[in-house]
Amino acid sequence: MTTIIKNGTIVTADRTYKADVKVENGVIAEIGQNLSGGEELDATGCYVMPGGIDPHVHLEMPFMGTYSSDDFESGTRAALAGGTTMVVDFCLPNPEQSLLEALQRWDNKSTRANCDYSFHMAITWWGEQVFNEMEDITKRGINTFKHFMAYKGALMVNDDEMFASFRRCAELGALPLVHAENGDVVADLQAKLLAEGNDGPEGHAYSRPPQVEGEATNRAIMIADMAGVPVYIVHTSCEDAHEAIRRARMAGKRVYGEPLIQHLTLDESEYFDKDWDHAARRVMSPPFRNKQHQDSLWNGLSSGSLSVVATDHCAFTTEQKRNGVGDFTQIPNGTGGLEDRMPMLWTHGVNTGRLTMNEFVAVTSTNIAKILNVYPRKGAILEGADADIVVWDPYKEKTISADSQQSAIDYNVFEGKHVKGLPRFTLTRGKVAVHDGEVRTEEGHGQFVERPPNNPVNTALSTWKELTAPRKIERTGIPASGV
Ligand code: DUC
Ligand code: ZN
Ligand code: ZN
Ligand code: ZN
């Protein structure tokens, strides 16, 4: 099966040029001028870019007494509709559960995926079994381990557990990921707010101020430094966290920050003076912030101190959200965004001049492909790469609405937002899943992408080791008498 993408302009993280792309057997076979000999897709006026990679999604995840409502079928259909061709989900073992056993459950769920996918493995408890199984997990093609510093009494790990796990990551050539919020402080603030009668969804935002995130981000970075391992901070939402990341990077540390499209484009006013459902639908952790924090995130993307834009797609219906009526701590945390990430970032980033097209490709695809060690199979328009491609029409417009979305939930946090820039075609390993805007996915087409450990990236972060390593004092040349 041969497909030719004709007359488009290729946009990668580092180049923009006119060429046709020939796709054969799911991979890019040739890039050149005037190619022919197959089904033609007309890319006139369009940009031909690497398909998006969303490294942070939670599909059909057991969480807060329920399951997130988009599964691997609807979630990856939403992804493809918006130009994203690979997602990375989080495998969450229960306390005391074997990592391999948990992975089996995720393997079973993901067989329905419409596009390629991978997993991060969460470290939700610590012990010899976890230590040992981490190696088995890396052999299964998973080179990233997630740590929650929040969700006390559930997913949260303590500093000693995190330090032990980070050191294990360093040994294995794996990369630790961190949800950085101070879970002890959050739990205290939640209890205080509830005791004072603040039980509405705005209490969620008050219980998770930026300091909670700034402190934990800084702590995670310092612990990673002492463990001699890089670290990836998920859903960086505020200047306090961004500042810690920036400072670490300036000191030569490999620290990556991942803002979400929601934090870049929605702010805290979504929680205040709004009806309960409106606010509760937007409850996620971290919560939306004010405009100054938003500006900080945009600046981080254009200057390079923040690396990746994700969604943390974790969708709950209004009915599920209503579990928290009378107690905001029981509102399932999470928002959708998979279908809207690329169009929203293009509209608010590229169309406003905040990001170049090449930077757009970098932060939606190429940077994370490199960090996750799947580049250039993913994240590239190169001969031999997987044909995960989006043909992007910069003039195609729509108003985002739950009525026309792929996601299984009954609302959209971006409802009413106008976007300009949408896929004309999306290809997942050569299969055309969006054709002239029409979604034609194939359940089960998606495959697990193995990501081997990445040793060279995991050299020590800073000079800490050198400075503290015991040094042998040379005594030669010094007279015995000490004169
Ligand atoms: N934050 C959310 O909002 N949902 C899922 C998990 C998380 O950390
Ligand atoms: Zn998180
Ligand atoms: Zn998450
Ligand atoms: Zn197929």
Side-chain angles (χ1 to χ4, degrees):
M1 172 72 187
T2 304
T3 307
I4 313 276
I5 303 172
K6 291 282 298 177
N7 303 322
T9 298
I10 296 177
V11 178
T12 65
D14 52 5
R15 290 185 65 199
T16 303
Y17 61 105
K18 278 186 113 53
D20 297 342
V21 178
K22 180 187 277 189
V23 172
E24 250 164 14
N25 303 321
V27 300
I28 297 174
E30 192 180 349
I31 299 170
Q33 306 304 322
N34 306 315
L35 302 182
S36 60
E39 184 206 357
E40 292 193 357
L41 302 178
D42 179 20
T44 306
C46 290
Y47 300 117
V48 179
M49 306 189 290
I53 300 172
D54 191 334
H56 191 158
V57 306
H58 301 280
L59 302 175
E60 208 184 327
M61 174 175 77
F63 189 52
M64 296 184 73
T66 184
Y67 283 82
S68 57
S69 281
D70 277 316
D71 58 17
F72 277 82
E73 196 289 311
S74 64
T76 54
R77 180 157 37 82
L80 288 165
T84 291
T85 53
M86 179 175 168
V87 299
V88 192
D89 200 89
F90 291 81
C91 177
L92 297 186
N94 295 322
E96 311 289 318
Q97 188 185 27
S98 145
L99 307 189
L100 290 164
E101 199 181 294
L103 184 57
Q104 185 60 53
R105 276 174 43 223
W106 258 255
D107 279 341
N108 296 344
K109 291 193 280 192
S110 59
T111 55
R112 298 183 58 211
N114 295 294
C115 70
D116 286 1
Y117 59 91
S118 178
F119 303 126
H120 309 288
M121 175 58 68
I123 300 301
T124 52
W125 62 288
W126 189 251
E128 203 182 321
Q129 186 185 351
V130 175
F131 178 92
N132 291 329
E133 284 191 332
M134 282 173 79
E135 184 166 16
D136 303 322
I137 294 297
T138 60
K139 288 183 180 150
R140 294 280 300 272
I142 296 174
N143 69 12
T144 37
F145 293 92
K146 168 81 174 285
H147 306 76
F148 291 88
M149 297 170 80
Y151 300 115
K152 191 174 180 177
L155 300 169
M156 180 169 137
V157 285
N158 294 323
D159 290 354
D160 54 347
E161 297 168 320
M162 211 164 67
F163 187 46
S165 175
F166 280 17
R167 280 184 298 179
R168 183 66 168 146
C169 286
E171 273 171 19
L172 296 171
L175 176 69
L177 274 52
V178 177
H179 170 130
E181 288 184 302
N182 185 319
D184 288 319
V185 172
V186 169
D188 248 49
L189 290 176
Q190 286 177 330
K192 177 174 180 288
L193 285 155
L194 286 175
E196 291 166 356
N198 293 308
D199 61 18
E202 66 284 0
H204 176 78
Y206 288 128
S207 70
R208 305 179 106 96
Q211 291 90 332
V212 148
E213 193 183 335
E215 185 281 323
T217 300
N218 200 54
R219 180 155 40 104
I221 290 169
M222 293 302 171
I223 290 175
D225 196 14
M226 291 183 279
V229 73
V231 66
Y232 181 103
I233 309 294
V234 303
H235 49 49
T236 304
S237 78
C238 61
E239 164 60 12
D240 309 61
H242 179 199
E243 191 266 335
I245 293 167
R246 229 168 33 230
R247 182 155 32 89
R249 289 173 69 92
M250 289 294 285
K253 304 178 191 187
R254 289 189 182 84
V255 176
Y256 308 105
E258 172 208 81
L260 307 181
I261 190 63
Q262 296 92 323
H263 292 114
L264 287 162
T265 58
L266 301 172
D267 65 55
E268 63 186 4
S269 65
E270 303 283 350
Y271 301 120
F272 304 110
D273 303 320
K274 294 285 195 305
D275 64 73
W276 195 95
D277 282 345
H278 182 102
R281 287 162 170 171
R282 286 148 181 89
V283 162
M284 66 175 304
S285 294
F288 301 155
R289 309 294 192 189
N290 67 27
K291 298 278 185 210
Q292 283 81 44
H293 292 295
Q294 265 184 359
D295 284 345
S296 165
L297 301 182
W298 282 107
N299 291 343
L301 288 177
S302 51
S303 68
S305 52
L306 298 174
S307 308
V308 174
V309 175
T311 62
D312 198 1
H313 186 99
C314 187
F316 296 102
T317 62
T318 304
E319 198 184 321
Q320 288 176 303
K321 291 281 187 177
R322 285 183 184 158
N323 189 50
V325 171
D327 179 354
F328 69 83
T329 67
Q330 301 306 308
I331 301 170
N333 286 199
T335 57
L338 255 173
E339 185 170 352
D340 310 310
R341 177 181 68 131
M342 306 263 287
M344 281 293 284
L345 190 71
W346 184 276
T347 302
H348 294 270
V350 179
N351 291 348
T352 59
R354 285 197 263 208
L355 295 178
T356 66
M357 294 193 294
N358 308 95
E359 286 163 354
F360 174 86
V361 172
V363 300
T364 56
S365 184
T366 306
N367 288 355
I368 193 65
K370 290 178 181 173
I371 292 168
L372 297 181
N373 205 20
V374 290
Y375 185 86
R377 177 178 167 194
K378 304 290 189 188
I381 303 286
L382 287 173
E383 288 173 12
D386 281 358
D388 279 7
I389 299 172
V390 62
V391 178
W392 194 260
D393 183 343
Y395 294 104
K396 199 171 157 67
E397 304 179 51
K398 74 168 185 185
T399 300
I400 295 175
S401 172
D403 294 340
S404 53
Q405 73 185 3
Q406 303 297 323
S407 166
I409 64 170
D410 57 319
Y411 62 92
N412 187 310
V413 295
F414 302 113
E415 184 77 32
K417 300 254 185 261
H418 191 77
V419 287
K420 187 172 178 187
L422 285 159
R424 182 182 294 178
F425 304 104
T426 309
L427 285 76
T428 156
R429 264 184 300 100
K431 187 196 149 48
V432 184
V434 174
H435 192 281
D436 266 330
E438 182 202 333
V439 180
R440 300 178 182 174
T441 50
E442 177 197 331
E443 183 173 329
H445 170 78
Q447 291 178 357
F448 176 72
V449 179
E450 285 195 28
R451 301 182 293 108
N454 198 3
N455 282 309
V457 169
N458 283 2
T459 48
L461 288 187
S462 71
T463 51
W464 179 82
K465 266 191 179 163
E466 265 170 53
L467 293 174
T468 56
R471 276 182 232 167
K472 197 162 165 260
I473 310 290
E474 291 297 337
R475 292 223 154 259
T476 43
I478 300 173
S481 65
V483 177

